[in-house]
Amino acid sequence: MPLSTKLILSIAMQCLLAISCFAEVRVGVILGITGSSARYGEWALRGINLATDEINRAGGINGKPLKLVVEDCQGLANTAVTAFYKLQTTNRINFVITNQSSVALAIAPLANKNKIVQMDVSAFSPLYSTPDDFTFRTGVLANQLSSEISRLIFDQFKLAKIAVLYIENEKGEAGRKSFRNSYRGEIAFEESFKQNETDFRLILSRLKATKLKALFLSAHNKEAGVLVRQAKELGLNLKIFSDVYSIEGQDFLDGAQGAGEGVIYSYPKLSTEQAGLKLADQYLKLYREEPSFSVAQAYDGVIALAHAMKKCGNELTPVCVKQELYSIKFAGASGPIVFDSFGDVSAKEIELKIVRDNKFIKFQELPSRE
């Protein structure tokens, strides 16, 4: 074989193993842009775009622009898998950003098998935590949110019995299990409902017959809003507790039609350091509203990838980026970004919020009686 042919083949092989031969650094993005979880996808994409624009204005990844290749999975696991294979085979993607527990868990084994770095920006389920592999996340875990809300229910409201309703997907299951593990009282009624469900009256009628006074709800914004409204219409006088993924969003308010008043939920507090303030300022100018936790976590996910990619220089391989992610440390918009051996960020500061006059405001706890 002539020397020139060997050289061409050698360069071609290096291009297959690294990204250095491309004129741009491509990152796949798999989000539920349409469907019942579209609001989460919208928030994530906004944060991802803001971070990408910032990175490219500063020179990209060692002089190469960061390019996003976005696929809409409608928040469905099977559609996400199809999108992943398309990104891998057609677009030759070596890095992928995902959103939501069901999608993250469907992609994770494929990412690890194919040695593709996966950065999830909102996976709620503890099942996503796996050691020393290619999967990372910037989102808060279910057990962190459940621990704080269950403490409030038992210690402040003195509720020793409660009902649990949850959506039938990885998000709902993670919320249910984490709450069950942290709540010190009795879960006296528990039922699930389908994603995209619009009629909860049968389940709520059974719940009404129990005469329980409190409900923990793990859902999506759309289903949660409708469920809360129908509960009020049926005359259920319930104290409702939940998590930010279920409650904080316009879809909840639209579905609840005023019935969400007084719902209390746990929330990962956004950073008040420079990164958080910077993102808030940019977001407010563009969208005339404060950034949600989803926006901040998505923003931080892209920034984290960029930090690791830059450290890899011309050896921009998934293996190198994976190793660098485990060693990075910076102050993110959603809080400190330091990945542990499971690819999870350090525990975030959790606070409590309440729905008041169709707004999401900080909940003021009663002074301790002890």
Side-chain angles (χ1 to χ4, degrees), residues 69-285:
V69 184
V70 181
E71 292 287 334
D72 177 17
C73 68
Q74 300 178 329
L76 303 174
N78 58 345
T79 309
V81 169
T82 301
F84 174 84
Y85 282 125
K86 178 184 176 183
L87 289 170
Q88 183 191 14
T89 57
T90 304
N91 303 105
R92 292 170 63 190
I93 293 297
N94 286 275
F95 312 100
V96 65
I97 296 171
T98 57
N99 191 49
Q100 299 180 247
S101 295
S102 298
V103 172
L105 289 171
I107 299 301
L110 305 176
N112 285 316
K113 179 181 177 181
N114 293 279
K115 296 184 177 180
I116 290 176
V117 174
Q118 178 183 0
M119 179 65 70
D120 189 88
V121 296
S122 77
F124 185 64
S125 173
L127 296 177
Y128 186 70
S129 299
T130 48
D132 304 316
D133 59 17
F134 289 83
T135 61
F136 299 82
R137 70 166 134 198
T138 54
V140 66
L141 276 68
N143 55 329
Q144 295 174 16
L145 293 175
S146 295
S147 177
E148 187 64 13
I149 199 70
S150 62
R151 177 197 62 78
L152 180 83
I153 295 168
F154 196 85
D155 293 344
Q156 287 280 328
F157 286 91
K158 309 299 181 184
L159 293 166
K161 289 185 178 182
I162 198 168
V164 173
L165 297 179
Y166 63 100
I167 194 169
E168 291 177 9
N169 60 22
E170 294 293 347
K171 189 276 169 189
E173 185 65 19
R176 179 190 75 86
K177 286 184 177 179
S178 296
F179 181 76
R180 176 179 283 277
N181 290 338
S182 60
Y183 179 58
R184 285 174 285 156
E186 177 189 353
I187 296 176
F189 179 89
E190 184 177 86
E191 283 206 26
S192 64
F193 52 86
K194 300 287 185 183
Q195 187 169 328
N196 296 316
E197 182 62 74
T198 58
D199 188 351
F200 304 93
R201 285 170 290 192
L202 183 59
I203 293 175
L204 291 170
S205 294
R206 290 198 290 266
L207 172 56
K208 186 176 183 179
T210 67
K211 297 184 180 180
L212 289 168
K213 298 179 180 180
L215 167 67
F216 176 77
L217 177 62
S218 182
H220 288 167
N221 283 176
K222 280 190 174 182
E223 292 88 346
V226 175
L227 187 150
V228 167
R229 172 171 53 82
Q230 291 180 356
K232 185 175 182 180
E233 291 170 350
L234 288 173
L236 274 78
N237 186 23
L238 292 166
K239 192 66 182 174
I240 299 176
F241 303 90
S242 191
D243 61 75
V244 64
Y245 291 100
S246 305
I247 304 302
E248 190 163 312
Q250 189 60 44
D251 288 342
F252 172 81
L253 298 178
D254 291 345
Q257 297 179 16
E261 186 77 4
V263 172
I264 301 172
Y265 61 96
S266 50
Y267 180 92
K269 187 177 181 180
L270 299 185
S271 172
T272 56
E273 301 294 329
Q274 182 179 357
L277 297 175
K278 179 182 176 182
L279 175 62
D281 182 63
Q282 291 177 334
Y283 198 84
L284 189 60
K285 288 177 180 177

